[in-house]
Each structure stands twice: as C-alpha cells, then as structure tokens.
Amino acid sequence: MKPKKSWWILAILSLGVIIPFTAPYLTLDPANSRVSFTAAAIQFPLLVAHIITACVALLSGFFQFLEPIRIKAPKVHRYLGRVYVGSVFISAVLALVYTFYVEDFSKATSFLVLTLLWFFTCWKGYRTAVRKDFDEHRKWMIRSFGVTLVAVSGRLVVPVLLLSYCILNGFSLPEGRVAMVEKVLNVNIWVGLIVNFIIIEWGILKE
C-alpha cells in the first residue's frame, strides 16, 4: 500500500516548520538562539541537544509509520522504532532538565507536562511492543508521535492565536504587541497538544 498523500503533506509541512526553527541552533552559537538564557553555558548545550534528538525522533517517527516499511520490512521498522524510542527518551530527559531553568512559570509548566506526556506515551508504546501486544503498541506509538508533532502544531497555531487575541480585544492591542506575542507563546503548546490529541483519539476511535 502506498503512503497516503496526507502523510507526505504532513511530513513536508513539518519539515517546513522545523528546519527554519532548528537551523540557527545548528551553528552552535548562543547569539543565534531565539530564546534568552540565564545560564547560557548550561542551558544552550541542553537546548541544542534536545532539539537535535527531537528532530531525530520526528524523522524516524515519520518513516516507521510508513506501511511499506512497517509491513514489508519489519526489521527496518524495528530498527527505526529503537531509534525513535531512544531519541525520545534522551530528548525528554534533556527537556526535563532544561525546564528547571525556565523562569516563566506558565512556560515551565507547559514544557514539563509536555515532556512527561512524551516520555509516558513512548514508554507505553515500547512496553506494549515488548509484550507483543501490537494493537495497543500501534495506538500508543501514534499517541507518542502526536506529542512529538506538538513541536510543529504548537508553531502552526500561533497565527490563529494571534488573530484570536486581536478579535477578543476588538482588534486593538491594549498591552502592546510584545505582550500579545508573549501571551500567545504561553499557551501555544497547550493548544497544539490539545488539537493533536483530539485528532489522534478521534482517528483511533474511528478504526
């Protein structure tokens, strides 16, 4: 069975979102970071390592869900699965450590919840595979990949949230543009996570 066009569209869209975001960090220059640091010597390496391993999880996740690989090349699928699980676990641990350096409470909370969900769903996917409960394994890995894709959806919803902010404030910026952007970036992860889980659970229930 050929991969659905929607899957390729999602993959291309994800790369289009992630590549511009990731590129500045690959220079390994803290001056190119889009976030500020209170302890750059510690935070920047943690952030770069987290981003790189998360990108590995994203790429391996896309390929391990392709049916030509999953069905016709099970050894490749298992290898990609190990790469995915390993990169998620490493990236999640790095994110957990990084969370303690985030000064904004709302952002720190959203990162913490996202990280714990990422680790938990991936762990469940791994354990169900070990038990050879492949039906539950597939469901949990879909959920895990949904959390992985929050890196994409969380950024895609930003324009919608900015527009919503303007509409709710009568197309005015009572606290200024900087405050508007700050408030949107405090909730975009939550919104991206909720949207992904609604789509995923709806898809699982349809099966």
Side-chain angles (χ1 to χ4, degrees), residues 18-41:
I18 292 301
I19 289 175
F21 170 79
T22 305
Y25 296 95
L26 299 181
T27 64
L28 303 181
D29 184 355
N32 294 327
S33 175
R34 296 184 178 182
V35 296
S36 57
F37 302 111
T38 55

PDB file of all heavy atoms in Angstrom, residues 18-41:
ATOM      1  N   ILE A  18       9.988  22.967  10.991  1.00  0.00           N
ATOM      2  CA  ILE A  18      11.098  22.632  11.887  1.00  0.00           C
ATOM      3  C   ILE A  18      12.449  23.114  11.380  1.00  0.00           C
ATOM      4  O   ILE A  18      13.280  23.590  12.172  1.00  0.00           O
ATOM      5  CB  ILE A  18      11.139  21.103  12.126  1.00  0.00           C
ATOM      6  CG1 ILE A  18       9.909  20.679  12.949  1.00  0.00           C
ATOM      7  CG2 ILE A  18      12.410  20.699  12.837  1.00  0.00           C
ATOM      8  CD1 ILE A  18       9.806  21.358  14.306  1.00  0.00           C
ATOM      9  N   ILE A  19      12.705  23.014  10.086  1.00  0.00           N
ATOM     10  CA  ILE A  19      14.026  23.380   9.557  1.00  0.00           C
ATOM     11  C   ILE A  19      14.392  24.835   9.860  1.00  0.00           C
ATOM     12  O   ILE A  19      15.488  25.105  10.378  1.00  0.00           O
ATOM     13  CB  ILE A  19      14.116  23.083   8.050  1.00  0.00           C
ATOM     14  CG1 ILE A  19      14.156  21.561   7.824  1.00  0.00           C
ATOM     15  CG2 ILE A  19      15.367  23.725   7.436  1.00  0.00           C
ATOM     16  CD1 ILE A  19      14.131  21.149   6.376  1.00  0.00           C
ATOM     17  N   PRO A  20      13.520  25.815   9.577  1.00  0.00           N
ATOM     18  CA  PRO A  20      13.884  27.203   9.907  1.00  0.00           C
ATOM     19  C   PRO A  20      14.074  27.430  11.403  1.00  0.00           C
ATOM     20  O   PRO A  20      14.900  28.254  11.808  1.00  0.00           O
ATOM     21  CB  PRO A  20      12.684  28.014   9.378  1.00  0.00           C
ATOM     22  CG  PRO A  20      12.042  27.143   8.375  1.00  0.00           C
ATOM     23  CD  PRO A  20      12.225  25.746   8.874  1.00  0.00           C
ATOM     24  N   PHE A  21      13.314  26.693  12.218  1.00  0.00           N
ATOM     25  CA  PHE A  21      13.453  26.830  13.665  1.00  0.00           C
ATOM     26  C   PHE A  21      14.765  26.226  14.157  1.00  0.00           C
ATOM     27  O   PHE A  21      15.437  26.776  15.042  1.00  0.00           O
ATOM     28  CB  PHE A  21      12.276  26.155  14.370  1.00  0.00           C
ATOM     29  CG  PHE A  21      12.457  26.027  15.864  1.00  0.00           C
ATOM     30  CD1 PHE A  21      12.247  27.111  16.698  1.00  0.00           C
ATOM     31  CD2 PHE A  21      12.854  24.820  16.421  1.00  0.00           C
ATOM     32  CE1 PHE A  21      12.433  27.004  18.071  1.00  0.00           C
ATOM     33  CE2 PHE A  21      13.035  24.700  17.787  1.00  0.00           C
ATOM     34  CZ  PHE A  21      12.821  25.792  18.614  1.00  0.00           C
ATOM     35  N   THR A  22      15.148  25.091  13.577  1.00  0.00           N
ATOM     36  CA  THR A  22      16.327  24.360  14.040  1.00  0.00           C
ATOM     37  C   THR A  22      17.633  24.960  13.543  1.00  0.00           C
ATOM     38  O   THR A  22      18.648  24.950  14.264  1.00  0.00           O
ATOM     39  CB  THR A  22      16.233  22.890  13.586  1.00  0.00           C
ATOM     40  OG1 THR A  22      15.003  22.332  14.055  1.00  0.00           O
ATOM     41  CG2 THR A  22      17.394  22.073  14.130  1.00  0.00           C
ATOM     42  N   ALA A  23      17.628  25.466  12.324  1.00  0.00           N
ATOM     43  CA  ALA A  23      18.855  25.911  11.659  1.00  0.00           C
ATOM     44  C   ALA A  23      19.742  26.830  12.514  1.00  0.00           C
ATOM     45  O   ALA A  23      20.963  26.613  12.585  1.00  0.00           O
ATOM     46  CB  ALA A  23      18.513  26.580  10.328  1.00  0.00           C
ATOM     47  N   PRO A  24      19.190  27.859  13.183  1.00  0.00           N
ATOM     48  CA  PRO A  24      20.064  28.754  13.971  1.00  0.00           C
ATOM     49  C   PRO A  24      20.824  28.043  15.081  1.00  0.00           C
ATOM     50  O   PRO A  24      21.953  28.433  15.418  1.00  0.00           O
ATOM     51  CB  PRO A  24      19.082  29.779  14.555  1.00  0.00           C
ATOM     52  CG  PRO A  24      17.904  29.749  13.643  1.00  0.00           C
ATOM     53  CD  PRO A  24      17.800  28.320  13.198  1.00  0.00           C
ATOM     54  N   TYR A  25      20.238  26.974  15.626  1.00  0.00           N
ATOM     55  CA  TYR A  25      20.888  26.269  16.738  1.00  0.00           C
ATOM     56  C   TYR A  25      22.005  25.352  16.255  1.00  0.00           C
ATOM     57  O   TYR A  25      22.901  25.012  17.021  1.00  0.00           O
ATOM     58  CB  TYR A  25      19.852  25.479  17.531  1.00  0.00           C
ATOM     59  CG  TYR A  25      18.832  26.374  18.184  1.00  0.00           C
ATOM     60  CD1 TYR A  25      17.609  26.637  17.570  1.00  0.00           C
ATOM     61  CD2 TYR A  25      19.096  26.995  19.397  1.00  0.00           C
ATOM     62  CE1 TYR A  25      16.674  27.482  18.151  1.00  0.00           C
ATOM     63  CE2 TYR A  25      18.174  27.835  19.993  1.00  0.00           C
ATOM     64  CZ  TYR A  25      16.966  28.082  19.360  1.00  0.00           C
ATOM     65  OH  TYR A  25      16.042  28.931  19.933  1.00  0.00           O
ATOM     66  N   LEU A  26      21.952  24.967  14.980  1.00  0.00           N
ATOM     67  CA  LEU A  26      22.999  24.107  14.441  1.00  0.00           C
ATOM     68  C   LEU A  26      24.307  24.851  14.233  1.00  0.00           C
ATOM     69  O   LEU A  26      25.343  24.226  13.999  1.00  0.00           O
ATOM     70  CB  LEU A  26      22.527  23.475  13.120  1.00  0.00           C
ATOM     71  CG  LEU A  26      21.279  22.587  13.219  1.00  0.00           C
ATOM     72  CD1 LEU A  26      20.929  22.014  11.864  1.00  0.00           C
ATOM     73  CD2 LEU A  26      21.483  21.467  14.238  1.00  0.00           C
ATOM     74  N   THR A  27      24.263  26.169  14.307  1.00  0.00           N
ATOM     75  CA  THR A  27      25.501  26.957  14.232  1.00  0.00           C
ATOM     76  C   THR A  27      26.291  26.864  15.536  1.00  0.00           C
ATOM     77  O   THR A  27      27.459  27.254  15.583  1.00  0.00           O
ATOM     78  CB  THR A  27      25.192  28.431  13.946  1.00  0.00           C
ATOM     79  OG1 THR A  27      24.449  28.989  15.052  1.00  0.00           O
ATOM     80  CG2 THR A  27      24.379  28.586  12.664  1.00  0.00           C
ATOM     81  N   LEU A  28      25.622  26.376  16.589  1.00  0.00           N
ATOM     82  CA  LEU A  28      26.226  26.223  17.920  1.00  0.00           C
ATOM     83  C   LEU A  28      26.674  27.572  18.505  1.00  0.00           C
ATOM     84  O   LEU A  28      27.558  27.628  19.360  1.00  0.00           O
ATOM     85  CB  LEU A  28      27.411  25.254  17.880  1.00  0.00           C
ATOM     86  CG  LEU A  28      27.115  23.851  17.339  1.00  0.00           C
ATOM     87  CD1 LEU A  28      28.366  22.990  17.371  1.00  0.00           C
ATOM     88  CD2 LEU A  28      25.987  23.194  18.121  1.00  0.00           C
ATOM     89  N   ASP A  29      26.027  28.623  18.044  1.00  0.00           N
ATOM     90  CA  ASP A  29      26.331  29.973  18.537  1.00  0.00           C
ATOM     91  C   ASP A  29      25.150  30.467  19.370  1.00  0.00           C
ATOM     92  O   ASP A  29      24.057  30.674  18.838  1.00  0.00           O
ATOM     93  CB  ASP A  29      26.564  30.919  17.365  1.00  0.00           C
ATOM     94  CG  ASP A  29      26.992  32.323  17.813  1.00  0.00           C
ATOM     95  OD1 ASP A  29      27.018  32.574  19.038  1.00  0.00           O
ATOM     96  OD2 ASP A  29      27.295  33.154  16.939  1.00  0.00           O
ATOM     97  N   PRO A  30      25.324  30.647  20.678  1.00  0.00           N
ATOM     98  CA  PRO A  30      24.223  31.106  21.537  1.00  0.00           C
ATOM     99  C   PRO A  30      23.611  32.431  21.077  1.00  0.00           C
ATOM    100  O   PRO A  30      22.442  32.699  21.361  1.00  0.00           O
ATOM    101  CB  PRO A  30      24.887  31.265  22.913  1.00  0.00           C
ATOM    102  CG  PRO A  30      26.072  30.366  22.863  1.00  0.00           C
ATOM    103  CD  PRO A  30      26.557  30.406  21.441  1.00  0.00           C
ATOM    104  N   ALA A  31      24.388  33.246  20.356  1.00  0.00           N
ATOM    105  CA  ALA A  31      23.872  34.524  19.878  1.00  0.00           C
ATOM    106  C   ALA A  31      22.743  34.332  18.873  1.00  0.00           C
ATOM    107  O   ALA A  31      21.924  35.241  18.666  1.00  0.00           O
ATOM    108  CB  ALA A  31      24.996  35.341  19.247  1.00  0.00           C
ATOM    109  N   ASN A  32      22.670  33.164  18.238  1.00  0.00           N
ATOM    110  CA  ASN A  32      21.621  32.892  17.251  1.00  0.00           C
ATOM    111  C   ASN A  32      20.371  32.284  17.869  1.00  0.00           C
ATOM    112  O   ASN A  32      19.408  31.989  17.159  1.00  0.00           O
ATOM    113  CB  ASN A  32      22.151  31.953  16.164  1.00  0.00           C
ATOM    114  CG  ASN A  32      23.245  32.591  15.332  1.00  0.00           C
ATOM    115  OD1 ASN A  32      23.222  33.800  15.098  1.00  0.00           O
ATOM    116  ND2 ASN A  32      24.200  31.795  14.878  1.00  0.00           N
ATOM    117  N   SER A  33      20.394  32.059  19.174  1.00  0.00           N
ATOM    118  CA  SER A  33      19.245  31.457  19.845  1.00  0.00           C
ATOM    119  C   SER A  33      18.052  32.401  19.838  1.00  0.00           C
ATOM    120  O   SER A  33      18.199  33.618  19.950  1.00  0.00           O
ATOM    121  CB  SER A  33      19.605  31.105  21.292  1.00  0.00           C
ATOM    122  OG  SER A  33      18.469  30.640  21.985  1.00  0.00           O
ATOM    123  N   ARG A  34      16.871  31.811  19.719  1.00  0.00           N
ATOM    124  CA  ARG A  34      15.644  32.599  19.728  1.00  0.00           C
ATOM    125  C   ARG A  34      15.083  32.770  21.132  1.00  0.00           C
ATOM    126  O   ARG A  34      14.060  33.428  21.306  1.00  0.00           O
ATOM    127  CB  ARG A  34      14.599  31.948  18.825  1.00  0.00           C
ATOM    128  CG  ARG A  34      15.022  31.912  17.364  1.00  0.00           C
ATOM    129  CD  ARG A  34      13.930  31.364  16.484  1.00  0.00           C
ATOM    130  NE  ARG A  34      14.317  31.379  15.085  1.00  0.00           N
ATOM    131  CZ  ARG A  34      13.533  30.991  14.079  1.00  0.00           C
ATOM    132  NH1 ARG A  34      12.314  30.547  14.334  1.00  0.00           N
ATOM    133  NH2 ARG A  34      13.968  31.028  12.832  1.00  0.00           N
ATOM    134  N   VAL A  35      15.710  32.141  22.102  1.00  0.00           N
ATOM    135  CA  VAL A  35      15.283  32.311  23.492  1.00  0.00           C
ATOM    136  C   VAL A  35      16.459  32.850  24.292  1.00  0.00           C
ATOM    137  O   VAL A  35      17.623  32.603  23.966  1.00  0.00           O
ATOM    138  CB  VAL A  35      14.802  30.974  24.101  1.00  0.00           C
ATOM    139  CG1 VAL A  35      13.576  30.465  23.384  1.00  0.00           C
ATOM    140  CG2 VAL A  35      15.905  29.930  24.066  1.00  0.00           C
ATOM    141  N   SER A  36      16.144  33.569  25.336  1.00  0.00           N
ATOM    142  CA  SER A  36      17.194  34.126  26.185  1.00  0.00           C
ATOM    143  C   SER A  36      17.558  33.129  27.278  1.00  0.00           C
ATOM    144  O   SER A  36      16.773  32.236  27.623  1.00  0.00           O
ATOM    145  CB  SER A  36      16.726  35.442  26.813  1.00  0.00           C
ATOM    146  OG  SER A  36      15.537  35.240  27.559  1.00  0.00           O
ATOM    147  N   PHE A  37      18.752  33.278  27.830  1.00  0.00           N
ATOM    148  CA  PHE A  37      19.241  32.350  28.835  1.00  0.00           C
ATOM    149  C   PHE A  37      19.659  33.094  30.097  1.00  0.00           C
ATOM    150  O   PHE A  37      20.125  34.234  30.038  1.00  0.00           O
ATOM    151  CB  PHE A  37      20.459  31.577  28.308  1.00  0.00           C
ATOM    152  CG  PHE A  37      20.202  30.806  27.053  1.00  0.00           C
ATOM    153  CD1 PHE A  37      20.782  31.200  25.853  1.00  0.00           C
ATOM    154  CD2 PHE A  37      19.390  29.690  27.056  1.00  0.00           C
ATOM    155  CE1 PHE A  37      20.554  30.497  24.688  1.00  0.00           C
ATOM    156  CE2 PHE A  37      19.158  28.974  25.901  1.00  0.00           C
ATOM    157  CZ  PHE A  37      19.744  29.380  24.714  1.00  0.00           C
ATOM    158  N   THR A  38      19.489  32.411  31.217  1.00  0.00           N
ATOM    159  CA  THR A  38      20.011  32.942  32.478  1.00  0.00           C
ATOM    160  C   THR A  38      21.365  32.307  32.799  1.00  0.00           C
ATOM    161  O   THR A  38      22.150  32.864  33.544  1.00  0.00           O
ATOM    162  CB  THR A  38      19.029  32.656  33.633  1.00  0.00           C
ATOM    163  OG1 THR A  38      18.760  31.247  33.689  1.00  0.00           O
ATOM    164  CG2 THR A  38      17.714  33.405  33.411  1.00  0.00           C
ATOM    165  N   ALA A  39      21.585  31.124  32.212  1.00  0.00           N
ATOM    166  CA  ALA A  39      22.869  30.429  32.389  1.00  0.00           C
ATOM    167  C   ALA A  39      23.212  29.767  31.065  1.00  0.00           C
ATOM    168  O   ALA A  39      23.039  28.555  30.888  1.00  0.00           O
ATOM    169  CB  ALA A  39      22.780  29.407  33.510  1.00  0.00           C
ATOM    170  N   ALA A  40      23.691  30.564  30.114  1.00  0.00           N
ATOM    171  CA  ALA A  40      23.912  30.110  28.742  1.00  0.00           C
ATOM    172  C   ALA A  40      24.852  28.920  28.648  1.00  0.00           C
ATOM    173  O   ALA A  40      24.668  28.026  27.815  1.00  0.00           O
ATOM    174  CB  ALA A  40      24.438  31.258  27.890  1.00  0.00           C
ATOM    175  N   ALA A  41      25.865  28.879  29.512  1.00  0.00           N
ATOM    176  CA  ALA A  41      26.849  27.797  29.453  1.00  0.00           C
ATOM    177  C   ALA A  41      26.216  26.433  29.702  1.00  0.00           C
ATOM    178  O   ALA A  41      26.717  25.405  29.225  1.00  0.00           O
ATOM    179  CB  ALA A  41      27.953  28.047  30.470  1.00  0.00           C
TER     180      ALA A  41
END
